[in-house]
Amino acid sequence: MADDGAWVRVRRVIKAPREAVFAAWTDPQSMRAWLAPYSLTVGEVSVDLRVGGSYSLMMRRDGEDLPHSGVYREIKPPERLVFTWSSSRTEHRETVVTIELHQHPNGTELVLTHERLPSAEAIQGHTAGWSSILDKFAARYP
């Protein structure tokens, strides 16, 4: 983990194999269904799944568009996905999200770490946001 900013870590056990969980993080149609906190929706999603490739997604809240984008840094199916994350909530600073997928007796343990957050407000917002997103994601696999 980088030592140049604050970070958030959120864990969930997902009742699905690692391959399915990894695929859900890399498929635009799947991402559209869950990659936003419960209070938001996701519109357009684009994915160029390769190291150095970019992604973008548009979260929406009450008619307001909230663009998010980044670049894939590491793609290691079905274990690890690392990408940058930039949005107004990160003050358009390039932050880094790491998804680690571990085998678990009940499916897959997903560990999400979001590094280089710019402020206490960003830490609080992303802790709540990622917790909500992972709750929504886990609900897809009852």
Side-chain angles (χ1 to χ4, degrees), residues 8 19 23-24 32 34 37 41 51-52 54-55 57 60-61 77 89 93 98 101 108-109 111 113 116 139:
V8 166
E19 294 78 9
R32 215 176 342 269
W34 58 266
T41 60
V51 173
S54 63
Y55 73 90
L57 64 103
R60 292 194 175 114
R61 176 182 51 220
R89 297 283 310 256
R93 174 180 178 173
T98 301
L101 304 174
T108 300
E109 179 187 31
V111 180
T113 305
R116 303 187 64 205

Side-chain angles (χ1 to χ4, degrees), residues 86-103:
S86 179
S87 72
S88 60
R89 297 283 310 256
T90 64
E91 301 170 8
H92 299 286
R93 174 180 178 173
E94 186 177 84
T95 62
V96 178
V97 176
T98 301
I99 307 297
E100 297 173 290
L101 304 174
H102 306 286
Q103 291 183 331

Side-chain angles (χ1 to χ4, degrees), residues 17-134:
R18 292 188 313 162
E19 294 78 9
V21 174
F22 188 91
W25 278 87
T26 59
D27 174 66
Q29 184 173 344
S30 173
M31 293 163 67
R32 215 176 342 269
W34 58 266
L35 190 51
Y38 278 113
S39 60
L40 285 78
T41 60
V42 179
E44 300 170 28
V45 176
S46 69
V47 170
D48 179 9
L49 188 63
R50 61 184 173 83
V51 173
S54 63
Y55 73 90
S56 64
L57 64 103
M58 185 66 68
M59 293 185 193
R60 292 194 175 114
R61 176 182 51 220
D62 300 327
E64 177 186 9
D65 288 341
L66 305 166
H68 294 69
S69 62
V71 174
Y72 292 103
R73 289 191 171 174
E74 185 178 341
I75 303 168
K76 188 176 179 184
E79 307 171 10
R80 186 173 163 93
L81 185 65
V82 180
F83 50 91
T84 63
W85 179 271
S86 179
S87 72
S88 60
R89 297 283 310 256
T90 64
E91 301 170 8
H92 299 286
R93 174 180 178 173
E94 186 177 84
T95 62
V96 178
V97 176
T98 301
I99 307 297
E100 297 173 290
L101 304 174
H102 306 286
Q103 291 183 331
H104 186 277
N106 294 325
T108 300
E109 179 187 31
L110 187 156
V111 180
L112 181 148
T113 305
H114 193 161
E115 301 174 73
R116 303 187 64 205
L117 293 167
S119 65
E121 181 182 350
I123 294 165
Q124 183 178 11
H126 283 86
T127 299
W130 286 121
S131 293
S132 179
I133 288 168
L134 293 187

